[in-house]
Amino acid sequence: MIHRKDRRDRTDRLGAPVRAENYIASSPPGWQGQLGGCGIASLISLKGERIGGERITRMLTIMEERENGLGAGYACYGLFPDRSDQYCLQFFFDDEEGKRNVEDFLQGRLDIMHDEVVFIKERSTISPPYPIVWRYFVDVPENRVWRGDRDLGEEDYLVEIVQHINANVPNAFCVSSGKDMAVFKGNGYSYEIADLYDLDRYSGTMWLSHSRFPTNSPAWWAGAHPLSLLDWGVCHNGEITSYGVNRKLVEMNGYRCTVLTDTEVVTYLWDLLVRRNRLPIEVAAFVMAPSTYQEICLLPPAERRLAEWLRITYKEAFLNGPFSIIVGRSRPETTLIALADRKKLRPMIAGLSPDDGVAYCASEESAIRIVEPDARTWAPGAGNPFIAVAGKGVLRRGTEPSFQGVRV
Amino acid sequence: MIDAPSSRRLDHRLPERFMPTINYDLCRVCRRCVNECSYQALEFKESRVVPSGGCVACGRCIAVCPANCIEVRPVPPQFAPHGNWSERSRRSILAQASSGGVLLSSCGADDTHPPIFDDLLLDAAQVTNPSIDPLREPVETITYLGRRPGRLEVCDGKVIVQEDDTPLIRMDMPLMFGHISLGSISYNAQKALFMAANELRIVAGSGEGGLHPDFYQYADRICSEVASGRFGIKPEYLKGVAAVEIKIGQGAKPGHGGHLPGEKVTTMISETRMIPRGTDALSPYPHHDIYSIEDLAQLVSVLKESTEYRLPVGVKIAAVHNVGAIASGLVRAGADFLTVDGFKGGTGAAPRVIRDHAGLPVEVAIAAVDRRLTQEGLRNRVTVCAGGGVRSSADMIKALALGADVVMVSTSAMIAMGCRVCQQCHRGLCSWGIATQRDDLTSRLDPQVAAARIVRLYRAWNEELKEVMGAMGIDSVESLVGNRDRLRYRGPNPKIAEVMNVKHIGEGWG
Amino acid sequence: MKYVCRPKGHAHDCDCGKDSMSVVGDRAVIDLSLSATQPMHYTTLNCAMRKAMRQGCLSIELKGVMGQRYLASTASVPGLHVAVHGTPGNDLGAFLNGPTIEVFGNAQDMTGNTMNSGRIIVHGNAWDVTGLAARGGQILVKGDTGYRVGIHMKEFGESRPTTVIGGTAKDYLGEYMAGGTILVLGLGGGPPVGRSLGAGMHGGRIFVRGEVSPEQLGPGAALLPLNEDDEREVRRLLGDFIKAFGTEVHQDMNGYVKIAPSSSRPFSGYYDKTNV
Ligand code: SF4
Ligand code: SF4
């Protein structure tokens, strides 16, 4: 049992008291979101093979200069081959009560097929309190009703459940809710988090990771990256200057913002544009980081029309300001997407192993070289998505013309 | 009728408000000021120019004096000071006791309601994101006006664009000229506005007085207004233009109809409006085919049918207290764009009591509309235009950040042409040739020169917009629209910040 | 130019009128009872009518109309005759610009809204706000009309709208009237006009056959006898009416009164322009 009152004053690695407060599932009082810089790294096995957690840990921790110990996290895809058809809801609980609250709420709403504790080292360099991390493998029942609506699709229903828990159920936060994936994150340096969860014990076909440099405390475990909804996992470096506008669009479409960061909104945007509005990934990427109208004028007529209408229709989805993001999903295929803003104000390097077996994306080349000394690396263009699919290869290097491969 | 015999009547003459003062040491007695003063406030007497009363501070004499020797001085208070009974309140009472009339005025509300714009501060990028230099990197201000589809359909991975369904107008900046009718302003003034809109590649409102045949050459930059008076509405007026807008209300006089005093109804106006010469041109207070929201839907539909769905059809309303809910009704009634006109908006003639006391400041109205439409999931279906008291590029930027896609300006364009906001438009004597139909006065305004001044003004504003966006780290205007996070309130009443959903200064982001 | 049926989202040549329209020479017949979707939507019907006009039809006959709105709005084909059987919806012939529309039945509200030229002949009643802001052309109603008919009619030069009402009109007839002529015959009994007659009128004229008391007048309207020009105009309008409906009407000019503006600036003294 963990109680808030157990908390003691702590110091960070530099000996300075940076964390006056440490919050896990419940958000800090008066939470209004947080800014920060970051490091991101990811890898995907193009052959669909499983890669151990130590590899991504090395990638991320080499970029230690990019973080300040106030949050790091990992997402692993292809993690549960035996239960890949069930949704894995992974939670942070402040205490046993949070767990009870969630279980009471899930009762009758989802069919829990299996649940288990997520391993956390008892002793770690991160000072307690630690959350209780628990996962539930669930099926969505056939006859489901959410607020009188019987026609919600399985995924929309799950989105409602997860968002309701995060907004309303005390002492609990659902950190990931997709199939065949889970998120491991918390408040500490990248290597501390890897150590805390003992990532070496896991392996998967794709990993995303993130370490952060927020400008301020308090630290909130649930607010660390990756942020996730369904199988979407998003790591984000930068600051979206259009946050207020983007947030309006997702809220208009029924998403509830609880973490209050731009990354959360980016996560919902991917879900909205690609899963719900069914835009192809390249098109969604264009929407988020569009070409200027001047560039659009130079496109062939059909593409030009598409580009204009994308900008007009989805102008609230335009992510302005500097960002580079790494996005993962497990359905329909395990896919890695990397995208930088249209002026390429945040770093992003892509790489491929010599045998074309593994693709990488990271903030710095060093993150790739440390695990793949002979990788071939390149820089995806501004606003130009990199897309790789497990079992298929790199579908887009991020250097192609805007709508290459898109049927217009 | 109670009235005293004329022998016992005292003419309660009001003190002058302004006094043109001439430095006789410098005056060359050229008499230009006397000739130019359309209010006849100067006369030539005993070998010099002297004030003859009735100066309205239109500033014409100052501009034409070759010796630069005229000053127009406000006359200091003439009545015993009183904290409650202002000079104006007493003047108004005296005037109305003499005339029994409804006090008429023009331009926007001039009472001292402090603009909320002045209580808002803009954000800028520091460290956590970079600012952008608009002179060296692209910062986009292209804006579309009209209905948006909300989402694009995707069929087998193919994105379907049905361009034909959603007519939109492309503009180079998030700006439009408000509706100023031919009649309220002169042919030359309206021509200047249309020429400027054409050059700036934005849209100008036609006003409710119909379109002069000469102006159809600018038709693809003109938004035709369908007001309750239905002046000048013929097939070309609906079909041949860029957009059609139904005017329900005007910020300066919500709930009130149009009024063009008979002095301004010349033969030309009589022809474009189809009303008798010299008569007061009245627009009914409501549209007599709109008594309810479903009737508005009907007028929107008939205009869409009539234009064969080729033009965006918008609705303009005055900002009133329930503006959010009304706006959502307009969208549901089929409006492709809506215009919200704030209570400081201008007018060519309006009763003072309405101009100065009815309506809602546009700042609050924009935020309310943006928020309500967002809550109802309609915000990404329409274009929201707003104006009424936008005095500078700073006001324009704040209006955009509060949630307007397009900012409507009128008075500033008139000032660019020469208007000094003397608030005499309703008298039809405008010495600058703008708000008048008198040939000798209208000929003072060269449309070419006036258009060039308007173009320069708004090009400069647009550059200032880019500067601010660049400072905020925003490189395209759509990411500014409704981005209330980038505003802070520093005024006297935090409740205003709360209803506008703007944080108070000192409140950070995290 | 490719014509498309925009409101329905067809981005191709549409099917509107395919099952219900037949064109022989320059005559089109649209039988709404043959439409697969009952009742046919107004967008479909208007789209079909526009097709007929584009094909050069000079006669369009609509059968089985039931509340479809905006029929022939902005239609501009000179010499076109549209026959409407059934009950047309609101805003029939709005912004009409030349053609003749003949309704065999009653018309609903706002018939001839802001019409520019042409004729609308209603062999029945036409309800509220008929002829709003008309700028020219003629509206002939055999039966009764509703409230607020002929509001803000205008005229200039040749363009001079006229409205003849065979039966009665209710309150606010000719409010804000700035031009044009309204003639009310009061056939079939009942008071020919209601209250607030010609309220705020500053142009145009209203002729009424029958009694009008001063209490019925709105502000700005005055009750006058007919002069010779007026009588000529009434006779001419009676001629139009008789020709359209074939009914006989007494041509005795003694039974008529005229309502005209008391001044061209009814509210000029209402405002105080002092610079306070
Ligand atoms: S315009 Fe100037 S110089 Fe000429 S008369 Fe007037 S005050 Fe004197
Ligand atoms: S337009 Fe003319 S009359 Fe009206 S305020 Fe401006 S200067 Fe004065």
Side-chain angles (χ1 to χ4, degrees):
Chain A
M1 281 271 270
I2 296 155
H3 294 288
R4 278 260 165 82
K5 58 184 180 317
D6 292 345
R7 263 187 240 118
R8 277 161 282 133
D9 286 342
R10 283 150 307 198
T11 56
D12 75 354
R13 234 161 37 98
L14 302 173
V18 286
R19 287 169 247 151
E21 295 284 341
N22 187 11
Y23 294 86
I24 299 162
S26 308
S27 64
W31 177 256
Q32 295 191 324
Q34 211 164 33
L35 307 172
C38 316
I40 52 182
S42 60
L43 59 85
I44 179 169
S45 163
L46 301 174
K47 297 181 174 152
E49 288 160 1
R50 296 166 69 83
I51 300 170
E54 76 290 341
R55 209 169 164 88
I56 190 76
T57 311
R58 281 164 66 210
M59 286 182 76
L60 188 63
T61 51
I62 190 73
M63 299 187 289
E64 191 191 333
E65 287 302 317
R66 305 187 77 89
E67 55 181 321
N68 68 355
L70 289 178
Y74 301 82
C76 183
Y77 287 78
L79 181 59
F80 308 114
D82 301 339
R83 293 187 178 275
S84 64
D85 280 341
Q86 290 164 358
Y87 293 96
C88 169
L89 304 193
Q90 191 150 308
F91 281 91
F92 285 162
F93 298 126
D94 286 335
D95 47 28
E96 291 291 346
E97 194 191 321
K99 183 162 178 284
R100 265 197 310 279
N101 291 342
V102 165
E103 285 171 3
D104 286 350
F105 179 76
L106 293 183
Q107 181 70 41
R109 293 188 166 92
L110 292 174
D111 300 333
I112 300 178
M113 311 311 287
H114 174 73
D115 69 313
E116 64 194 21
V117 67
V118 175
F119 175 81
I120 285 223
K121 267 195 189 156
E122 276 173 21
R123 296 181 67 83
S124 148
T125 49
I126 301 174
S127 16
Y130 304 150
I132 303 173
V133 188
W134 206 273
R135 68 170 72 110
Y136 301 85
F137 290 95
V138 302
D139 280 339
V140 175
E142 273 302 319
N143 84 45
R144 50 183 175 259
V145 191
W146 182 256
R147 303 225 163 105
D149 187 350
R150 296 177 175 277
D151 301 328
L152 272 186
E154 205 177 283
E155 288 162 322
D156 288 330
Y157 177 78
L158 201 69
V159 167
E160 292 292 345
I161 298 265
V162 167
Q163 298 215 340
H164 180 87
I165 291 173
N166 289 351
N168 302 315
V169 175
N171 302 355
F173 199 95
C174 177
V175 293
S176 64
S177 48
K179 285 181 176 172
D180 207 10
M181 58 85 68
V183 165
F184 306 92
K185 64 185 182 181
N187 181 24
Y189 278 96
S190 51
Y191 43 84
E192 290 179 310
I193 297 298
D195 182 53
L196 179 78
Y197 285 102
D198 187 24
L199 288 188
D200 295 359
R201 61 170 60 218
Y202 300 110
S203 63
T205 41
M206 176 169 83
W207 287 87
L208 320 179
S209 66
H210 180 272
S211 59
R212 62 197 308 232
F213 196 131
T215 44
N216 59 353
S217 55
W220 180 23
W221 286 57
H225 299 207
L227 282 162
S228 181
L229 181 71
L230 294 177
D231 56 329
W232 294 104
V234 176
C235 299
H236 162 226
N237 169 15
E239 182 188 328
I240 308 292
T241 55
S242 55
Y243 172 73
V245 181
N246 310 131
R247 180 174 170 181
K248 271 201 315 196
L249 179 66
V250 297
E251 287 185 341
M252 232 186 311
N253 284 284
Y255 296 92
R256 261 158 295 163
C257 294
T258 44
V259 185
L260 305 182
T261 59
D262 35 16
T263 317
E264 177 189 37
V265 166
V266 174
T267 312
Y268 299 160
L269 276 179
W270 279 100
D271 188 52
L272 173 68
L273 296 179
V274 177
R275 182 181 66 83
R276 283 174 51 188
N277 286 3
R278 306 206 314 275
L279 294 182
I281 289 170
E282 300 86 333
V283 174
F286 180 89
V287 163
M288 294 185 195
S291 311
T292 62
Y293 280 110
Q294 213 178 359
E295 292 158 352
I296 288 174
C297 276
L298 305 173
L299 294 173
E303 293 182 3
R304 176 180 166 174
R305 205 168 83 121
L306 174 63
E308 278 175 356
W309 277 90
L310 288 170
R311 278 199 71 170
I312 292 166
T313 309
Y314 293 108
K315 72 178 188 181
E316 289 91 350
F318 178 175
L319 302 176
N320 216 310
F323 68 85
S324 57
I325 52 175
I326 289 176
V327 183
R329 69 187 305 204
S330 62
R331 292 288 176 278
E333 304 159 305
T334 301
T335 310
L336 176 66
I337 307 159
L339 179 70
D341 64 84
R342 67 177 190 163
K343 287 196 169 133
K344 191 71 198 303
L345 293 164
R346 301 309 303 147
M348 172 75 75
I349 298 292
L352 203 53
S353 65
D355 64 348
D356 288 351
V358 185
Y360 303 89
C361 268
S363 300
E364 298 181 13
E365 173 138 3
S366 62
I368 300 174
R369 292 275 172 230
I370 182 112
V371 291
E372 196 76 72
D374 300 322
R376 276 168 290 142
T377 56
W378 72 92
N384 205 336
F386 163 97
I387 304 169
V389 174
K392 281 194 177 165
V394 175
L395 303 190
R396 204 185 149 94
R397 291 165 55 89
T399 49
E400 299 82 347
S402 293
F403 295 112
Q404 181 170 307
V406 177
R407 293 168 50 214
V408 286
Chain B
M1 186 75 188
I2 318 163
D3 214 344
S6 56
S7 60
R8 279 172 44 207
R9 271 196 216 156
L10 169 68
D11 176 16
H12 289 270
R13 192 164 55 78
L14 294 178
E16 291 294 315
R17 283 191 67 196
F18 304 99
M19 190 58 67
T21 314
I22 294 164
N23 182 341
Y24 294 113
D25 296 340
L26 301 175
C27 176
R28 301 177 200 161
V29 205
C30 71
R31 298 196 226 175
R32 206 172 285 174
C33 52
V34 178
N35 297 334
E36 292 271 342
C37 184
S38 53
Y39 299 93
Q40 295 176 329
L42 291 164
E43 60 185 334
F44 183 69
K45 218 178 188 171
E46 289 156 16
S47 76
R48 59 185 206 168
V49 174
V50 293
S52 53
C55 174
V56 298
C58 73
R60 183 77 187 175
C61 54
I62 300 173
V64 298
C65 172
N68 199 9
C69 66
I70 308 187
E71 246 177 42
V72 172
R73 297 189 182 152
V75 173
Q78 299 290 298
F79 300 154
H82 193 285
N84 188 41
W85 293 95
S86 66
E87 190 98 352
R88 162 165 298 169
S89 63
R90 282 175 274 177
R91 288 175 68 96
S92 303
I93 291 168
L94 289 166
Q96 287 187 289
S98 298
S99 70
V102 169
L103 288 173
L104 199 66
S105 189
S106 45
C107 303
D110 69 341
D111 274 1
T112 49
H113 301 281
I116 297 169
F117 281 131
D118 293 347
D119 294 336
L120 294 172
L121 293 178
L122 300 166
D123 193 18
Q126 294 290 292
V127 183
T128 52
N129 61 52
S131 46
I132 304 162
D133 176 351
L135 291 180
R136 286 158 191 88
E137 296 194 15
V139 173
E140 300 186 281
T141 59
I142 286 174
T143 299
Y144 285 84
L145 180 79
R147 175 165 289 252
R148 298 192 290 144
R151 63 178 282 189
L152 295 183
E153 292 304 323
V154 179
C155 201
D156 296 338
K158 188 174 167 190
V159 186
I160 315 282
V161 179
Q162 288 178 349
E163 189 166 5
D164 298 329
D165 299 341
T166 318
L168 284 157
I169 308 166
R170 179 174 167 140
M171 305 195 292
D172 277 3
M173 43 183 93
L175 198 72
M176 67 186 264
F177 294 154
H179 289 272
I180 318 178
S181 69
L182 179 64
S184 77
I185 58 171
S186 63
Y187 174 96
N188 283 349
Q190 197 172 43
K191 181 168 183 184
L193 282 172
F194 291 153
M195 286 169 77
N198 200 34
E199 175 94 12
L200 292 166
R201 289 156 49 78
I202 59 171
V203 169
S206 67
E208 62 167 309
L211 262 187
H212 194 279
D214 297 355
F215 295 158
Y216 279 96
Q217 58 173 309
Y218 308 110
D220 53 359
R221 289 284 153 200
I222 291 177
C223 170
S224 290
E225 185 168 68
V226 175
S228 59
R230 302 290 159 86
F231 298 112
I233 296 177
K234 46 187 176 179
E236 314 87 276
Y237 183 79
L238 299 177
K239 289 186 171 186
V241 292
V244 178
E245 184 166 353
I246 300 167
K247 173 190 176 182
I248 299 293
Q250 186 178 344
K253 41 179 172 178
H256 205 263
H259 178 126
L260 182 62
E263 290 89 355
K264 287 165 112 173
V265 182
T266 56
T267 310
M268 178 183 69
I269 303 304
S270 158
E271 184 170 355
T272 48
R273 296 203 182 204
M274 295 184 71
I275 48 169
R277 217 189 119 123
T279 182
D280 290 3
L282 303 169
S283 301
Y285 286 31
H287 286 252
H288 282 289
D289 48 2
I290 305 177
Y291 293 152
S292 157
I293 186 77
E294 76 268 20
D295 291 353
L296 173 70
Q298 179 174 320
L299 187 58
V300 170
S301 303
V302 73
L303 288 170
K304 289 190 170 183
E305 271 294 334
S306 296
T307 55
E308 296 178 39
Y309 301 86
R310 283 171 217 285
L311 301 185
V313 175
V315 181
K316 171 171 146 188
I317 52 168
V320 290
H321 303 312
N322 199 22
V323 68
I326 296 167
S328 111
L330 300 184
V331 182
R332 293 178 197 284
D336 297 329
F337 62 99
L338 24 127
T339 306
V340 181
D341 192 9
F343 118 101
K344 298 222 169 208
T347 172
R352 255 179 195 283
V353 63
I354 292 188
R355 189 197 71 170
D356 296 352
H357 298 280
L360 192 65
V362 72
E363 302 90 329
V364 176
I366 296 170
V369 167
D370 186 62
R371 211 161 142 184
R372 183 59 173 257
L373 293 181
T374 303
Q375 280 164 2
E376 307 225 354
L378 298 170
R379 184 63 186 86
N380 59 346
R381 312 304 300 273
V382 288
T383 305
V384 175
C385 313
V390 173
R391 303 154 298 170
S392 61
S393 61
D395 290 358
M396 169 178 86
I397 293 159
K398 290 168 188 175
L400 292 168
L402 284 168
D405 292 293
V406 176
V407 175
M408 176 179 70
V409 290
S410 311
T411 305
S412 54
M414 304 225 307
I415 297 174
M417 285 193 258
C419 163
R420 300 294 200 260
V421 195
C422 70
Q423 304 157 60
Q424 303 300 316
C425 316
H426 57 291
R427 291 171 65 189
L429 292 172
C430 178
S431 62
W432 295 93
I434 301 169
T436 178
Q437 302 298 331
R438 235 172 70 183
D439 291 341
D440 61 319
L441 299 176
T442 58
S443 62
R444 293 178 182 181
L445 190 78
D446 181 334
Q448 208 103 27
V449 174
R453 293 183 59 84
I454 298 172
V455 168
R456 283 196 292 268
L457 171 71
Y458 294 115
R459 288 237 166 99
W461 281 24
N462 202 46
E463 288 311 310
E464 288 172 337
L465 165 65
K466 288 183 184 176
E467 290 282 352
V468 170
M469 289 201 314
M472 285 180 175
I474 289 176
D475 68 358
S476 189
V477 71
E478 59 254 52
S479 298
L480 175 64
V481 171
N483 205 342
R484 290 193 285 273
D485 277 339
R486 311 305 298 274
L487 291 174
R488 289 293 182 274
Y489 179 80
R490 45 128 273 176
N493 181 357
K495 179 75 186 173
I496 293 180
E498 192 186 316
V499 297
M500 291 199 305
N501 194 15
V502 168
K503 289 189 179 126
H504 201 272
I505 47 164
E507 288 179 334
W509 210 57
Chain C
M1 173 158 201
K2 203 168 93 179
Y3 286 95
V4 292
C5 181
R6 286 156 201 257
K8 299 176 140 185
H10 299 168
H12 50 81
D13 285 309
C14 64
D15 290 340
C16 294
K18 200 178 105 202
D19 44 7
S20 51
M21 180 161 73
S22 58
V23 180
V24 179
D26 62 0
R27 303 175 61 84
V29 177
I30 303 176
D31 188 342
L32 277 65
S33 64
L34 298 176
S35 161
T37 47
Q38 286 290 349
M40 189 191 272
H41 194 258
Y42 71 80
T43 51
T44 312
L45 179 51
N46 279 308
C47 184
M49 286 175 72
R50 281 196 289 268
K51 275 185 193 166
M53 290 180 229
R54 280 196 298 273
Q55 287 171 28
C57 289
L58 289 177
S59 156
I60 300 176
E61 191 176 348
L62 307 180
K63 293 183 178 165
V65 173
M66 192 48 65
Q68 283 82 2
R69 293 178 169 189
Y70 323 123
L71 298 181
S73 58
T74 338
S76 299
V77 179
L80 172 69
H81 183 273
V82 179
V84 180
H85 298 272
T87 306
N90 295 359
D91 274 323
L92 168 72
F95 314 112
L96 187 72
N97 194 31
T100 299
I101 301 176
E102 208 162 348
V103 181
F104 300 92
N106 291 346
Q108 295 190 163
D109 296 345
M110 296 150 204
T111 299
N113 190 349
T114 322
M115 73 186 276
N116 206 39
S117 61
R119 289 177 103 192
I120 300 179
I121 302 166
V122 183
H123 292 260
N125 303 325
W127 302 122
D128 293 354
V129 201
T130 297
L132 171 64
R135 303 158 42 83
Q138 185 170 54
I139 298 177
L140 302 172
V141 181
K142 187 175 184 188
D144 295 334
T145 57
Y147 288 78
R148 298 179 196 270
V149 170
I151 290 189
H152 216 315
M153 284 165 70
K154 307 172 177 62
E155 71 179 59
F156 187 84
E158 299 283 283
S159 296
R160 182 162 164 179
T162 54
T163 298
V164 184
I165 300 162
T168 61
K170 297 283 200 318
D171 303 353
Y172 298 103
L173 178 71
E175 189 179 8
Y176 290 97
M177 198 168 176
T181 306
I182 299 174
L183 172 60
V184 185
L185 299 175
L187 303 171
V193 291
R195 296 166 300 169
S196 295
L197 178 61
M201 72 189 290
H202 48 292
R205 54 215 74 71
I206 302 171
F207 302 115
V208 181
R209 182 175 162 273
E211 288 282 308
V212 176
S213 71
E215 289 75 42
Q216 286 177 279
L217 298 181
L223 209 49
L224 303 165
L226 279 65
N227 62 28
E228 266 177 35
D229 286 347
D230 297 336
E231 287 185 5
R232 252 199 308 281
E233 182 166 21
V234 170
R235 280 211 183 81
R236 212 186 57 238
L237 293 174
L238 282 176
D240 293 343
F241 186 83
I242 292 163
K243 209 170 125 205
F245 302 118
T247 24
E248 260 320 303
V249 189
H250 260 293
Q251 306 250 355
D252 173 14
M253 288 298 124
N254 287 331
Y256 289 90
V257 290
K258 174 184 178 182
I259 294 94
S262 54
S263 126
S264 72
R265 301 192 61 178
F267 301 110
S268 60
Y270 182 71
Y271 294 106
D272 180 342
K273 299 180 183 175
T274 310
N275 191 9
V276 300

